[in-house]
Coordinates of all heavy atoms in Angstrom, one line a residue:
M17 N 43.8 1.5 -131.9 CA 42.7 1.5 -131.0 C 41.3 1.7 -131.7 O 40.4 0.9 -131.4 CB 42.9 2.6 -130.0 CG 41.9 2.6 -128.8 SD 42.4 3.6 -127.5 CE 41.9 5.2 -128.0
V18 N 41.2 2.7 -132.6 CA 40.0 2.9 -133.3 C 39.7 1.7 -134.2 O 38.5 1.2 -134.3 CB 40.0 4.2 -134.0 CG1 38.7 4.4 -134.8 CG2 40.3 5.4 -133.1
G19 N 40.7 1.3 -135.0 CA 40.5 0.2 -135.9 C 40.0 -1.0 -135.2 O 39.1 -1.7 -135.6
A20 N 40.6 -1.4 -134.1 CA 40.3 -2.6 -133.3 C 38.9 -2.5 -132.7 O 38.1 -3.4 -132.8 CB 41.3 -2.8 -132.2
M35 N 41.6 -6.4 -140.9 CA 42.3 -5.3 -140.3 C 43.6 -5.1 -141.1 O 44.5 -6.0 -141.2 CB 42.7 -5.7 -138.8 CG 43.5 -4.7 -138.1 SD 42.4 -3.3 -137.6 CE 41.3 -4.1 -136.5
G36 N 43.8 -3.9 -141.6 CA 45.0 -3.6 -142.4 C 46.0 -2.9 -141.5 O 45.7 -2.1 -140.6
S37 N 47.3 -3.1 -141.8 CA 48.3 -2.3 -141.2 C 49.5 -2.2 -142.2 O 49.5 -2.8 -143.3 CB 48.7 -2.8 -139.8 OG 49.4 -4.0 -140.0
R38 N 50.6 -1.5 -141.7 CA 51.8 -1.4 -142.6 C 52.4 -2.7 -142.9 O 53.0 -2.9 -144.0 CB 52.8 -0.4 -142.1 CG 52.4 1.1 -142.3 CD 53.2 2.0 -141.5 NE 52.8 2.0 -140.1 CZ 53.4 2.8 -139.1 NH1 54.3 3.6 -139.5 NH2 52.9 2.7 -137.9
S39 N 52.4 -3.6 -141.9 CA 53.1 -4.9 -142.1 C 52.0 -6.0 -142.2 O 51.0 -5.8 -141.7 CB 54.1 -5.2 -141.0 OG 53.3 -5.3 -139.8
N42 N 51.2 -7.6 -138.4 CA 51.3 -6.6 -137.3 C 50.8 -7.4 -136.0 O 49.7 -8.0 -136.0 CB 50.4 -5.4 -137.6 CG 50.3 -4.4 -136.5 OD1 49.7 -4.7 -135.4 ND2 50.8 -3.3 -136.7
K44 N 49.5 -6.4 -133.2 CA 48.2 -6.1 -132.6 C 47.1 -6.6 -133.5 O 46.0 -7.0 -133.0 CB 48.1 -4.6 -132.5 CG 49.0 -4.0 -131.4 CD 48.7 -2.5 -131.3 CE 49.8 -1.7 -130.7 NZ 49.7 -0.3 -130.9
A45 N 47.3 -6.6 -134.8 CA 46.3 -7.1 -135.7 C 46.1 -8.6 -135.6 O 45.0 -9.1 -135.6 CB 46.7 -6.7 -137.2
F61 N 47.5 -2.9 -145.5 CA 46.5 -1.9 -145.9 C 45.9 -2.3 -147.3 O 44.7 -2.2 -147.5 CB 47.1 -0.5 -146.0 CG 47.4 0.1 -144.6 CD1 48.6 0.8 -144.4 CD2 46.5 0.1 -143.6 CE1 48.9 1.4 -143.2 CE2 46.7 0.7 -142.3 CZ 47.9 1.3 -142.2
N73 N 39.1 4.3 -142.7 CA 40.4 4.8 -142.5 C 40.5 5.2 -141.0 O 40.0 6.2 -140.6 CB 40.6 6.1 -143.4 CG 41.9 6.7 -143.0 OD1 42.9 6.1 -142.6 ND2 42.0 8.1 -143.1
C74 N 41.2 4.4 -140.3 CA 41.4 4.6 -138.8 C 42.9 4.8 -138.6 O 43.4 4.3 -137.6 CB 40.9 3.5 -138.0 SG 39.3 2.9 -138.4
T75 N 43.6 5.5 -139.5 CA 45.0 5.7 -139.3 C 45.3 7.1 -138.7 O 44.5 8.0 -138.8 CB 45.8 5.6 -140.6 OG1 45.3 6.6 -141.6 CG2 45.6 4.2 -141.2
A76 N 46.5 7.3 -138.2 CA 46.9 8.6 -137.6 C 46.7 9.6 -138.7 O 47.2 9.4 -139.9 CB 48.4 8.5 -137.2
G77 N 46.1 10.7 -138.4 CA 45.7 11.7 -139.5 C 47.0 12.2 -140.3 O 46.9 12.3 -141.5
V78 N 48.1 12.4 -139.6 CA 49.3 12.9 -140.2 C 49.8 11.9 -141.3 O 50.5 12.2 -142.2 CB 50.4 13.2 -139.3 CG1 50.1 14.5 -138.5 CG2 50.7 12.1 -138.3
A79 N 49.4 10.6 -141.1 CA 49.9 9.5 -142.0 C 48.8 9.0 -142.9 O 49.0 8.1 -143.7 CB 50.5 8.4 -141.2
S80 N 47.6 9.6 -142.8 CA 46.4 9.0 -143.6 C 46.6 8.9 -145.1 O 46.3 8.0 -145.7 CB 45.1 9.7 -143.2 OG 44.7 9.3 -141.9
A82 N 49.3 8.8 -146.8 CA 50.3 7.8 -147.1 C 49.7 6.4 -146.9 O 49.9 5.5 -147.7 CB 51.5 7.9 -146.2
A83 N 48.9 6.2 -145.9 CA 48.3 4.9 -145.6 C 47.3 4.6 -146.7 O 47.2 3.4 -147.2 CB 47.6 4.9 -144.2
V84 N 46.4 5.6 -147.1 CA 45.4 5.3 -148.1 C 46.1 5.0 -149.5 O 45.7 4.2 -150.2 CB 44.4 6.4 -148.2 CG1 43.3 6.1 -149.3 CG2 43.7 6.6 -146.9
S86 N 49.0 3.6 -149.8 CA 49.5 2.3 -149.8 C 48.4 1.2 -149.9 O 48.6 0.1 -150.3 CB 50.5 2.0 -148.7 OG 49.8 1.9 -147.5
D99 N 36.0 7.9 -143.4 CA 37.2 8.5 -142.9 C 36.9 9.0 -141.4 O 36.2 9.9 -141.2 CB 37.6 9.7 -143.7 CG 38.8 10.5 -143.2 OD1 39.7 9.8 -142.6 OD2 38.9 11.7 -143.4
V100 N 37.6 8.2 -140.5 CA 37.4 8.5 -139.1 C 38.5 9.3 -138.5 O 38.5 9.7 -137.4 CB 37.2 7.1 -138.4 CG1 37.0 7.3 -136.9 CG2 36.1 6.3 -139.0
A101 N 39.6 9.5 -139.3 CA 40.8 10.1 -138.9 C 40.7 11.6 -138.6 O 39.9 12.3 -139.2 CB 41.9 9.8 -139.9
N102 N 41.5 12.1 -137.7 CA 41.6 13.5 -137.4 C 43.1 14.0 -137.7 O 44.0 13.3 -137.3 CB 41.3 13.8 -136.0 CG 39.8 13.8 -135.8 OD1 39.0 14.5 -136.6 ND2 39.3 13.1 -134.9
P103 N 43.2 15.1 -138.4 CA 44.6 15.5 -138.8 C 45.3 16.2 -137.6 O 45.6 17.4 -137.7 CB 44.3 16.5 -139.9 CG 42.9 17.1 -139.6 CD 42.2 16.0 -138.9
L104 N 45.5 15.5 -136.6 CA 46.1 16.1 -135.4 C 47.6 15.8 -135.3 O 48.0 14.7 -135.6 CB 45.5 15.4 -134.1 CG 44.0 15.8 -133.8 CD1 43.4 15.0 -132.7 CD2 43.9 17.3 -133.5
F106 N 50.7 15.8 -132.8 CA 51.0 15.8 -131.4 C 52.6 16.0 -131.3 O 53.1 15.9 -130.1 CB 50.6 14.5 -130.7 CG 49.1 14.3 -130.6 CD1 48.4 13.6 -131.6 CD2 48.4 14.8 -129.5 CE1 47.1 13.4 -131.5 CE2 47.1 14.6 -129.4 CZ 46.4 13.9 -130.4
L122 N 41.3 17.0 -144.0 CA 41.8 15.7 -144.4 C 40.8 14.9 -145.2 O 41.2 14.3 -146.2 CB 42.1 14.9 -143.1 CG 42.7 13.5 -143.3 CD1 44.0 13.5 -144.1 CD2 42.9 12.8 -142.0
A138 N 33.0 10.5 -140.9 CA 32.0 10.1 -139.9 C 32.7 9.7 -138.6 O 33.9 9.3 -138.7 CB 31.1 9.0 -140.4
L139 N 32.1 9.9 -137.5 CA 32.5 9.3 -136.2 C 33.7 10.0 -135.6 O 34.1 9.6 -134.5 CB 32.7 7.8 -136.3 CG 31.5 6.9 -136.6 CD1 32.0 5.5 -137.0 CD2 30.6 6.9 -135.4
N140 N 34.4 10.9 -136.3 CA 35.6 11.4 -135.8 C 35.5 12.4 -134.7 O 36.5 12.8 -134.1 CB 36.4 12.1 -137.0 CG 35.6 13.4 -137.5 OD1 34.5 13.3 -137.9 ND2 36.3 14.5 -137.5
T141 N 34.2 12.8 -134.3 CA 34.0 13.8 -133.3 C 33.8 13.2 -131.9 O 33.3 13.9 -131.0 CB 32.8 14.7 -133.7 OG1 31.7 13.8 -133.9 CG2 33.1 15.5 -134.9
M142 N 34.1 11.9 -131.7 CA 33.9 11.3 -130.4 C 34.9 10.2 -130.2 O 35.6 9.7 -131.1 CB 32.5 10.7 -130.3 CG 32.4 9.5 -131.3 SD 30.7 9.0 -131.6 CE 30.1 10.4 -132.7
N143 N 35.1 9.8 -129.0 CA 36.0 8.7 -128.6 C 35.4 7.3 -129.2 O 34.2 7.2 -129.4 CB 36.1 8.5 -127.1 CG 37.1 7.5 -126.7 OD1 36.7 6.4 -126.4 ND2 38.3 7.8 -126.8
C144 N 36.4 6.4 -129.5 CA 36.0 5.2 -130.2 C 35.0 4.3 -129.4 O 34.2 3.6 -129.9 CB 37.2 4.4 -130.7 SG 38.3 3.9 -129.4
V145 N 35.1 4.4 -128.0 CA 34.2 3.5 -127.3 C 32.7 4.1 -127.4 O 31.8 3.3 -127.4 CB 34.6 3.4 -125.8 CG1 35.9 2.6 -125.6 CG2 34.7 4.7 -125.1
M147 N 31.8 5.7 -130.2 CA 31.4 5.4 -131.6 C 30.6 4.1 -131.7 O 29.6 4.0 -132.4 CB 32.6 5.1 -132.5 CG 33.5 6.3 -132.7 SD 35.0 5.8 -133.7 CE 36.0 7.2 -133.5
L200 N 37.9 19.3 -133.1 CA 38.8 18.5 -132.3 C 39.5 19.3 -131.1 O 39.6 18.8 -130.0 CB 39.7 17.7 -133.1 CG 39.3 16.2 -133.3 CD1 39.4 15.4 -132.0 CD2 37.9 16.1 -133.8
W203 N 37.1 19.3 -128.5 CA 36.9 18.0 -127.9 C 38.0 17.6 -127.0 O 37.8 17.1 -125.9 CB 36.8 16.9 -129.0 CG 36.4 15.6 -128.5 CD1 35.2 15.1 -128.4 CD2 37.3 14.6 -127.9 NE1 35.2 13.8 -127.8 CE2 36.5 13.5 -127.5 CE3 38.7 14.5 -127.7 CZ2 37.0 12.4 -126.9 CZ3 39.2 13.4 -127.1 CH2 38.4 12.4 -126.7
P213 N 36.8 10.5 -121.6 CA 36.4 10.6 -123.1 C 34.9 10.3 -123.3 O 34.5 10.3 -124.5 CB 37.3 9.6 -123.8 CG 37.5 8.5 -122.8 CD 37.4 9.1 -121.4
Ligands
NAP323 N1 41.3 7.3 -130.3 C1 40.0 7.7 -130.5 O1 39.1 7.4 -129.8 C2 39.7 8.5 -131.8 C3 38.4 9.1 -131.9 C4 38.1 9.8 -133.1 C5 39.0 9.8 -134.1 N2 40.3 9.2 -133.9 C6 41.2 9.3 -135.1 O2 41.3 7.9 -135.6 C7 42.6 7.7 -136.0 C8 43.2 6.4 -135.3 O3 43.4 6.7 -134.0 P1 44.1 5.6 -133.0 O4 44.0 6.3 -131.6 O5 43.4 4.3 -133.2 O6 45.5 5.4 -133.5 P2 46.8 6.1 -134.0 O7 47.9 5.8 -133.2 O8 46.5 7.6 -134.3 O9 46.9 5.4 -135.5 C9 47.2 4.1 -135.6 C10 47.1 3.7 -137.1 O10 47.8 4.7 -137.9 C11 48.8 3.9 -138.7 N3 50.0 4.7 -138.9 C12 50.7 5.4 -138.0 N4 51.8 6.0 -138.6 C13 51.7 5.7 -139.9 C14 52.6 6.0 -141.0 N5 53.7 6.7 -140.8 N6 52.2 5.5 -142.2 C15 51.1 4.7 -142.4 N7 50.3 4.4 -141.3 C16 50.6 4.9 -140.1 C17 49.1 2.7 -137.9 O11 49.5 1.7 -138.8 P3 50.2 0.3 -138.2 O12 49.0 -0.5 -137.9 O13 51.0 -0.2 -139.3 O14 51.0 0.7 -137.0 C18 47.7 2.4 -137.4 O15 46.9 1.8 -138.4 C19 43.4 9.0 -135.8 O16 43.4 9.7 -137.0 C20 42.6 9.6 -134.7 O17 42.8 11.1 -134.7 C21 40.6 8.6 -132.8

Side-chain angles (χ1 to χ4, degrees):
M17 185 165 83
V18 178
M35 179 73 67
S37 70
R38 280 168 284 185
S39 63
N42 178 292
K44 289 184 201 163
F61 286 136
N73 172 34
C74 309
T75 61
V78 287
S80 284
V84 182
S86 75
D99 180 28
V100 182
N102 282 310
L104 291 171
F106 293 93
L122 179 60
L139 291 169
N140 64 305
T141 55
M142 68 197 73
N143 183 259
C144 58
V145 292
M147 293 178 194
L200 258 292
W203 187 93

